[in-house]
Amino acid sequence: MALYLTRFSYTPETWARLIENPEDRRAAASSYIESVGGKLHGFWYAFGEHDGWNLWEAPDNVSMAAVVLAIGAGGALRSCETTVLISVEELMTALGKAKSVKYRPPGA
């Protein structure tokens, strides 16, 4: 299974609802990813450009995309970015395959 890092920001309305009715969103996030056969590995809030960060594991890109689309369609987020993470072993394989790619720079 692949790992995914999401960075998200809530809307002002979502923050207002959470202030009025504080809620630990980890259980909800776990249920979303588990519904596609994945697992939530971490959920953090942060200061800065993004309000929160999640580390997920999902069976494939389509499953992760389904979760992100469903969450995004709910209207609670101002922004959401997802990055597919690859292991060191996967990078080593990619580096080996890169040797066989015959890249030509633009205009060369």
Side-chain angles (χ1 to χ4, degrees):
M1 284 205 277
L3 290 173
Y4 302 85
L5 178 69
T6 58
R7 295 157 308 281
F8 64 90
S9 293
Y10 289 135
T11 64
E13 295 81 13
T14 300
W15 279 120
R17 286 194 304 271
L18 286 169
I19 289 168
E20 185 66 28
N21 184 21
E23 178 184 357
D24 182 340
R25 296 294 296 165
R26 290 177 292 187
S30 288
S31 72
Y32 306 147
I33 196 67
E34 288 170 3
S35 74
V36 298
K39 180 179 178 180
L40 178 69
H41 286 282
F43 191 121
W44 301 270
Y45 288 104
F47 298 123
E49 184 178 350
H50 304 286
D51 295 329
W53 299 72
N54 302 114
L55 181 60
W56 317 79
E57 187 173 11
D60 51 58
N61 289 341
V62 172
S63 298
M64 189 66 223
V67 171
V68 172
L69 288 168
I71 292 169
L77 301 181
R78 180 172 45 86
S79 67
C80 184
E81 299 173 16
T82 303
T83 301
V84 180
L85 303 176
I86 64 171
S87 68
V88 173
E89 292 78 17
E90 290 170 314
L91 177 63
M92 297 307 294
T93 300
L95 290 170
K97 286 185 176 186
K99 290 178 187 177
S100 66
V101 175
K102 302 301 180 204
Y103 174 73
R104 183 185 59 79

